[in-house]
Amino acid sequence: MPDQLPIMFGSAAPQAEPNFFDRIASTVQSPLFMMGAFSLIFGKIARMPTDGLPYSLFYLAALVPWNTFATALSQSALSMESNAQLISKVYFPRVVVPGGIICGSFLDFAIGFVLLNAVSIVYGCWTPYLLALAPFLLAIQAMTAFGIGLVLA
């Protein structure tokens, strides 16, 4: 009976999957914390030039695509291993698994891109080129992450 108490009172309950709002919060937190750290280290301490852009906008413009690419690549490289039971039981093209991971990273990019646009509007540095070039950047990132992820998977 004492062994069953944790199960009866829920302390051994499985963890719930993160919901949509948790994903948004983690997608926004990561670049913001890294932006703060880079702005402090490279902007205030090392005084690296940014050609007139605010430090936080300069680093955020690099971190949003990089975080999307790094997440897509690492998850697609591990996708075959983590879905091995599904792949062994159901027949479907194996390319679908890393491709689905890459398509899921588009949501991370969209959230980060909205954050980047908001910060650039606050600093008064927003241009329509941000909107025009984003699909091309996303396509290049997706193809590169997909290719490398297939090789590593």
Side-chain angles (χ1 to χ4, degrees):
M1 177 82 172
D3 294 336
Q4 296 173 351
L5 285 177
I7 295 172
M8 292 186 333
F9 291 109
S11 63
Q15 295 292 326
E17 290 292 319
N19 63 14
F20 181 73
F21 297 108
D22 290 342
R23 182 167 180 167
I24 290 176
S26 68
T27 303
V28 169
Q29 277 180 343
S30 176
L32 284 180
F33 286 139
M34 291 174 72
M35 175 188 69
F38 286 168
S39 295
L40 177 69
I41 294 169
F42 296 118
K44 301 297 180 192
I45 296 172
R47 303 244 183 238
M48 302 212 44
T50 61
D51 290 333
L53 284 175
Y55 289 114
S56 54
L57 181 61
F58 181 77
Y59 295 120
L60 186 64
L63 286 170
V64 168
W66 172 251
N67 282 346
T68 303
F69 176 75
T71 302
L73 179 62
S74 64
Q75 288 180 355
S76 66
L78 297 173
S79 64
M80 295 290 195
E81 183 180 335
S82 62
N83 293 311
Q85 290 186 354
L86 175 69
I87 292 171
S88 65
K89 292 180 182 177
V90 179
Y91 178 76
F92 61 92
R94 304 300 187 240
V95 177
V96 171
V97 177
I101 299 293
I102 299 297
C103 289
S105 71
F106 291 168
L107 176 65
D108 292 342
F109 183 80
I111 294 168
F113 190 66
V114 167
L115 177 68
L116 176 62
N117 281 312
V119 170
S120 63
I121 288 171
V122 167
Y123 282 116
C125 298
W126 188 84
T127 63
Y129 297 121
L130 281 173
L131 298 176
L133 295 176
F136 297 112
L137 173 66
L138 188 59
I140 291 170
Q141 280 186 210
M143 288 187 283
T144 306
F146 185 65
I148 297 171
L150 279 177
V151 169
L152 295 176

